[in-house]
Amino acid sequence: MKNVRLLQVLALASLSAATACAAAASPGKWVGTWAQSMTSDYHQLTSVDGAVTKEASGRTLVQAPSLHDATLRQVVLTSVGGERVRIHLSNYYGLKPLTITAATLALGAKNASDPSAIVAGSSHRLRFDGGKSSITLAPGQVLWSDPLPLRFAPLATLAISLYMAGPVELSDVHPMQNQRISFAVAGDQTQALALARKPLAKVTGAAAGNRLDGHLYVLDGVAVEVPQTTRGIVAFGDSITDGAYATAPSKPWPQVL
């Protein structure tokens, strides 16, 4: 049931995103080219008196992964292409403010030996709230970036890099990914062409051990400006619709379709 609920949220989020952005600049409209619904299994480890916090069921609650002075790059597979793009960030489940110090969007380098690689010269600085390079999401807040001129083809991969001077907690997560698409490295590496040989970020909390591989964090949507006649298709269902047992991000049946 958990995955069914998640994907129903995805359907509503994608449709509402397209509707909310439709009032943007003519002649086109905004539609989701990639989206994943967020959830959270993360909470503070301790209560006020220092005891380990548990749910009513007895399950121990787990602290969200935390980063400090780190870049988180996430590479996503789009559907429709276009010439203007924006991303959607979520701290909906967060218990603390989350500050994005700098963010970039670039074309992913297909067939590169390093899956974090981007196309040289394609990286662009993202802006928020009318031109700000840095933004703080309050607990419970979600937001769209400002539109960014960037031409990309259908089925392109996009790399979104978020630098967080930190410390920050990554409370919003999509837990089911079947290939490494998230990369966390130390320092501001938003403009780096590849991250495989960069020093790993120090990760604490639920993902202690410096690995954030199999999940998505904070980023839950990418929208593109398209002609008014463009239509979106939203798939929702169980964990197979979400990608269970798929061997790559392009292999779940909605992506194949």
Side-chain angles (χ1 to χ4, degrees), residues 151-167:
R151 178 177 294 180
F152 62 98
L155 303 180
T157 57
L158 297 180
I160 294 88
S161 301
L162 307 175
Y163 172 59
M164 293 159 283

Side-chain angles (χ1 to χ4, degrees), residues 81-119:
E83 297 186 357
R84 292 215 305 163
V85 63
R86 63 199 313 190
I87 68 168
H88 194 256
L89 301 178
S90 176
N91 193 32
Y92 182 83
Y93 295 102
L95 301 176
K96 300 178 181 179
L98 189 156
T99 297
I100 307 297
T101 311
T104 60
L105 188 150
L107 298 175
K110 289 188 175 181
N111 302 317
S113 58
D114 181 349
S116 73
I118 62 174
V119 175

Side-chain angles (χ1 to χ4, degrees), residues 115-142:
S116 73
I118 62 174
V119 175
S122 70
S123 181
H124 293 73
R125 185 74 66 185
L126 285 163
R127 304 287 179 178
F128 304 90
D129 194 23
K132 298 176 182 177
S133 60
S134 177
I135 194 73
T136 296
L137 283 73
Q141 185 181 3
V142 299

Side-chain angles (χ1 to χ4, degrees), residues 4-252:
V4 172
R5 290 201 305 273
L6 284 177
L7 285 156
Q8 288 171 336
V9 170
L10 168 59
L12 293 173
S14 297
L15 291 173
S16 63
T19 302
C21 293
S26 184
K29 65 178 182 181
W30 292 93
V31 67
T33 185
W34 173 88
Q36 285 285 16
S37 55
M38 293 284 111
T39 184
S40 184
D41 287 331
Y42 303 131
H43 298 275
Q44 297 285 14
L45 275 173
T46 57
S47 61
V48 174
D49 61 5
V52 175
T53 306
K54 294 180 181 292
E55 288 184 328
S57 65
R59 185 185 70 160
T60 300
L61 298 177
V62 180
Q63 185 181 10
S66 296
L67 295 174
H68 187 184
D69 185 29
T71 296
L72 176 65
R73 177 173 292 176
Q74 299 177 107
V75 183
V76 301
L77 176 66
T78 66
S79 53
V80 64
E83 297 186 357
R84 292 215 305 163
V85 63
R86 63 199 313 190
I87 68 168
H88 194 256
L89 301 178
S90 176
N91 193 32
Y92 182 83
Y93 295 102
L95 301 176
K96 300 178 181 179
L98 189 156
T99 297
I100 307 297
T101 311
T104 60
L105 188 150
L107 298 175
K110 289 188 175 181
N111 302 317
S113 58
D114 181 349
S116 73
I118 62 174
V119 175
S122 70
S123 181
H124 293 73
R125 185 74 66 185
L126 285 163
R127 304 287 179 178
F128 304 90
D129 194 23
K132 298 176 182 177
S133 60
S134 177
I135 194 73
T136 296
L137 283 73
Q141 185 181 3
V142 299
L143 64 81
W144 285 100
S145 69
D146 297 344
L148 172 70
L150 178 70
R151 178 177 294 180
F152 62 98
L155 303 180
T157 57
L158 297 180
I160 294 88
S161 301
L162 307 175
Y163 172 59
M164 293 159 283
V168 297
E169 287 188 355
L170 307 178
S171 296
D172 287 45
V173 58
H174 182 267
M176 185 178 293
Q177 301 301 136
N178 298 285
Q179 192 178 55
R180 189 179 184 192
I181 60 174
S182 297
F183 308 84
V185 296
D188 183 355
Q189 300 293 335
T190 51
Q191 301 284 359
L193 291 179
L195 302 183
R197 297 185 179 182
K198 301 291 184 181
L200 293 177
K202 182 179 180 181
V203 183
T204 58
N210 294 326
R211 300 302 293 269
L212 297 175
D213 299 24
H215 297 347
L216 281 159
Y217 301 90
V218 184
L219 174 72
D220 66 351
V222 178
V224 62
E225 191 176 40
V226 293
Q228 290 288 341
T229 54
T230 303
R231 296 293 180 262
I233 298 174
V234 178
F236 67 94
D238 59 12
S239 58
I240 294 175
T241 306
D242 198 28
Y245 309 113
T247 56
S250 61
K251 296 301 183 182

